[in-house]
Amino acid sequence: MFKIRNIGAILLVFFSISLVNAQIKIGDVLPNITLQDTKNNAVKLNSFKGKTVLVDFWASWCGPCRLANRKLVKMHDKYKAKNFEIVGISIDTDKSKWIKAIEKDKIQYVQLIDPKGFDAKSAVTFGVEALPATFLFDATGKLIAINPTESQIITQINKK
């Protein structure tokens, strides 16, 4: 009985370490994840390397996300000519609600969906536990900030 408990404890520790290692950390690169856009095209997340990229996890049912969308739409419009891209990743389970939210919020930047809620592979990879959640990558594709402030994003955009 003692040995079984020890094995269980060891497995629990191993599983916990595996989960921690699966989550993206500062210094990691844009993950190789492929998701569908609004037109059902496959889009590779790491294809945005070469630009300053803000990955924004959100959902149509998330009030704070919808408020953040207003700011992100303005930011994208202002800085898209400066090699800046926002990639929205929705964890909506209802694609029609996601599409309606994009239209209502007038989002013009890239939108992708991973429709399994918080269990979605992308959400697990990024360690998303609450929405909205944002991740800022520099032009080399390296993660430089998690949930950055607007000034951190603008500073990165303006770096030459």
Side-chain angles (χ1 to χ4, degrees):
M1 184 103 152
F2 178 73
K3 289 182 181 182
I4 292 174
R5 281 194 199 144
N6 283 346
I7 291 170
I10 290 168
L11 288 174
L12 182 61
V13 168
F14 177 75
F15 182 70
S16 297
I17 290 169
S18 296
L19 277 178
V20 169
N21 288 336
Q23 294 176 355
I24 197 165
K25 299 176 281 308
I26 300 294
D28 288 352
V29 296
L30 273 164
N32 184 19
I33 296 173
T34 302
L35 298 170
Q36 301 296 311
D37 68 9
T38 56
K39 294 180 173 86
N40 292 320
N41 296 313
V43 177
K44 288 186 174 206
L45 193 56
N46 61 2
S47 70
F48 294 95
K49 190 174 175 181
K51 295 182 176 191
T52 298
V53 179
L54 183 69
V55 175
D56 173 47
F57 281 86
W58 71 289
S60 63
W61 47 261
C62 169
C65 300
R66 302 295 295 277
L67 287 172
N69 283 349
R70 292 182 197 166
K71 288 183 178 182
L72 293 176
V73 165
K74 289 178 185 174
M75 183 182 291
H76 183 257
D77 288 346
K78 186 172 181 179
Y79 296 105
K80 64 185 174 187
K82 289 191 157 199
N83 210 27
F84 173 64
E85 188 61 67
I86 299 174
V87 179
I89 299 177
S90 171
I91 60 168
D92 274 286
T93 55
D94 183 329
K95 190 172 181 178
S96 65
K97 289 182 180 177
W98 169 60
I99 297 291
K100 286 178 187 170
I102 291 168
E103 291 169 0
K104 186 171 183 184
D105 294 354
K106 298 179 172 92
I107 299 173
Q108 299 294 314
Y109 49 86
V110 177
Q111 286 295 309
L112 307 174
I113 189 166
D114 200 346
K116 294 184 179 168
F118 285 101
D119 293 329
K121 181 182 176 187
S122 62
V124 172
T125 298
F126 278 84
V128 174
E129 295 176 352
L131 296 177
T134 55
F135 300 82
L136 184 62
F137 293 84
D138 67 13
T140 69
K142 185 174 73 174
L143 180 64
I144 56 171
I146 298 173
N147 295 319
T149 63
E150 187 174 346
S151 66
Q152 285 176 301
I153 297 167
I154 293 167
T155 298
Q156 183 61 40
I157 292 168
N158 289 324
K159 280 187 177 178
K160 301 251 176 184

